[in-house]
Amino acid sequence: MSRSADGIYNFMGLKNYISDIYNGVKSLITGMKVTGHYITHPKEIITQQYPENRDTLKMFERFRGEVVLIHDENNQHKCTGCSACELACPNGSIEIISGKETDPETGKSTKIIDTFVYHLSMCTFCNLCILSCPTDAIKMAQDFEHSVFDRSKLTKVLNKPGSKIMPGVK
Amino acid sequence: MTEQELITNIETVPETQEYFINMGPQHPSTHGVLRLLLTLDGEIIKKIEPHLGYIHRSIEKMCEKDSYQQIVHLTDRMDYLSCHINNEAVCLCVEKGLQLEVPERVKVIRTIISELTRLSSHQLWWGVMGMDLGAITTFLYGFRDRELITDIFEETCGARLTMNYNVPGGVMFDIHPNFQKRTKDFITYFRKKLPEYDELLTGNVIFTERTKDIGYLSKDDAISFGVTGPSGRASGFACDVRKRFPYSAYDRVQFEEIVYTEGDCFARYKARIAEMWESMKIIEQLIDNIPEGEHKAKTKAVIKLPEGEYYQRVETARGELGVYIVSDNKKSPYRVKFRSPGFSNLSALDTMARGNKIADLVATMSTLDLVIPDIDR
Amino acid sequence: MNFNIYDFTDFVNSINVWLNTVFPPAAADIAGFVIIGICFLTFITLLGLSLVYIERKVCAFFQQRLGPMRVGFWGTAQTIADIIKLIFKEPLVSKGSDKFLFNLAAFIVIIAPFMAIAAVPFAKGLHVLDFDIGLFFITAVSSIGVTGILLAGWSSNNKYSLIGAMRSGAQIVSYELSVILSLLTIIILTGSLQLSVIVESQRDGWWIFKGNIPAVIAFFIFIIASTAESNRGPFDMAEAESELTAGFHTEYSGIKFAYFFLAEYINLFIIAAVGATVFFGGWMPLHIGNFEFFNNIMDFIPPIIWFFGKIAAIIFLIMWFKWTFPRLRIDQLLTLEWKYLLPINLVNLLLMALVALSGWHL
């Protein structure tokens, strides 16, 4: 209630005051309805309890967790040691130490990998190495539980001991 | 006490002093390692000095030793909330340099994922905005809806945040068979959930009181500071790159450029909420009309841009991102410069928040939607 | 010793008699104090622990989460684990702080609710301090806590703490008015400040139903103002974690931080207890006038359950506010008090006086 200059009481102020309170309270109750809805509908809870649901948890097939070198059942892989992935990697996560192998029949020596070193700690999972591989020897695996207590465990050797290159892959 | 004594006593009362507060580098509402040196008079802000560089990783310099394919993944780490749009900007710039025409399918896929990225960024912003103003529940609701988009990304692109889905010439893989269905499901879901955002915050009397007429930025100031994106458009500066300089598939979709003239926090808030509706419209127009074709144009294994300078701008969730590449015909660029929206938007903060209270500064910063790695790069 | 869940008077008296037979009179009094003290310390500790757990669960369910789930069944032992952690943490004192006041503040904050809780009537006969100014005592004593907050902010040598403390001071001084005025509206009807009398006066119905519209308005003002007085969201200006990191208790760690935390929850309990006592009849079961059959059924539920049920409902309402609304700004907070709550309150008080004079209440 305010008094205008000509001395007439103006009740518009009081009306606005009350409508302000009414609209304010109404908007607050609208908000409380939303949260009230969720507390009365516990089925809509979206929490996933992670370590407990490990058995049912399945990552999408394209998920990029770590680089692995594909080995078949005969312990053979397709890596020729061309080091295209090493060049494609932006962070130097991949180091390929290659050796020579001489074919006893023909006497020709071919380049093979000795160790395929993968520094998981440096990897940004950009997928460029997979794209650059000419023989599709490496792929991204879905394993994402990489925590270790010792940093050196994150440097991995991807080719399994005694593994050989698959025949026919060049 | 006589009158005279009273007067002398009053005169000996020490004057009030301005004082400084370091807001950040570790502070809950700077959302990262931004440090603001505030000069305060009581609770009134007299001056704001942003101090940058706490998360500077010299991405621009690192780009100079990387090949053009490798640059793309670095831009994920700039504005991580609109990483796909950053990637797209670099790829578009490289494609411009190569004069490479990408397949239609790629353009549409890129546009859809860009808009999904924008949606997810705005959802997160909405949650954080509520949290900055004290309504912590909104934060969880924002993340709840964003989760569905990150699932879409994970299925198609292979990662949730730093997707690196673009390569010069196209996208890394074709879209996943479930992509269209998931996206459509999400749009139906989110059309129901977005009004809830309005009920919780937009209409709330406390929220409107906290944001209306706070952090005013005039159109002239917005232009001179280069404030772009929803923040600029809320001040009446029509600067939507998608409309002004269409790229990818934006020239074939119908959407409105959201422009408000109030220039306060509430206008910036409304602009982002309205942009979410527009993004959903764009996705709905494109999702059923993805043309058949290749997902990637053929490029050489080693990309060399012809000698020259190339510039490409895109609209990220925060504003205009410019990618400027100087090439000397080698396999890595001679110089790369990113014009990041966050940096320019931050520069206007002092003008906007001066004279307001600390609580208003938090609201203003929130509506600017700053991502600190984007400012520092 | 006859234990009766509906009336504790005989039980308390028999303990008293037993103490007097075992000890000489002076020692019996001291023994009584010690027993009461131990009971309250245990009660407050359990109350704090369970309220923290409840708050976490309630907040989680508002936010579509599950909340603590790991320690104990459904995370019930989570708060105990937290307390153990807080006890073993280093009590840091920041450089340049006033060490005496810094340590004192934490105790003042916790002492205030300890004193106030003594006057709360839990059930018939279960009442430590029942004197004629009980309500006045609770409101007066519970506002001592603000001294602790101001001291904490001042002595921390931290500007965030100082701002938080100043805000808190301004806030509590203003909202104290509304709390007391809204309680006065009911005092007009009861005519007494003694809590047991207030409870007894609601034997034929609670004041919120009997007191007509002014009582309902008074209750809502009471809830808003007391939420503000206890520094809880949406009025948590003093903490305001997005503005002032943690406000007045930024520099506290370990068990002293736990004191602030505990004090907040005991304050919450006291507010709810006062609200329940004055507006909802305290431990008095729901009675409708002379409707004997209904009243007898209601009497079957023990008063202590009525009391805690009412408190739980009010606490839930306050938590609902906190987890829904954004925080107000400090000037808006004062505007709300001085321009809205206080005038409405004064008009409401007049209205209630009119109602009481005309006998419109039941």
Side-chain angles (χ1 to χ4, degrees), chain B residues 20 43 132-133 137 141 144, chain C residues 62 64 167 242 323 327:
Chain B
F20 300 98
E43 285 219 20
D132 279 346
L133 298 183
T137 305
Y141 290 173
R144 172 196 69 196
Chain C
F62 273 131
Q64 292 186 279
R167 283 179 175 189
S242 63
W323 298 110
R327 184 183 304 119

Side-chain angles (χ1 to χ4, degrees), chain B residues 19-23 27-29 43 132-137 140-141 144 201 204 206 209-210 214 358-360 362, chain C residues 59 61-65 159-160 163 167 234 236 241-245 322-332:
Chain B
Y19 63 108
F20 300 98
I21 271 194
N22 264 320
M23 202 168 176
H27 189 279
S29 68
E43 285 219 20
D132 279 346
L133 298 183
I136 300 165
T137 305
L140 277 298
Y141 290 173
R144 172 196 69 196
L201 277 190
N204 191 303
I206 303 174
E209 284 292 315
R210 281 290 303 273
I214 301 297
I358 301 179
D360 297 334
V362 174
Chain C
C59 133
F61 279 96
F62 273 131
Q63 298 169 348
Q64 292 186 279
R65 297 185 288 122
K159 287 165 191 166
Y160 285 123
I163 298 175
R167 283 179 175 189
D236 53 347
E241 79 285 333
S242 63
E243 295 152 29
L244 306 177
T245 59
K322 171 159 181 173
W323 298 110
T324 307
F325 300 140
R327 184 183 304 119
L328 278 86
R329 207 170 56 208
I330 182 69
D331 57 327
Q332 289 163 353

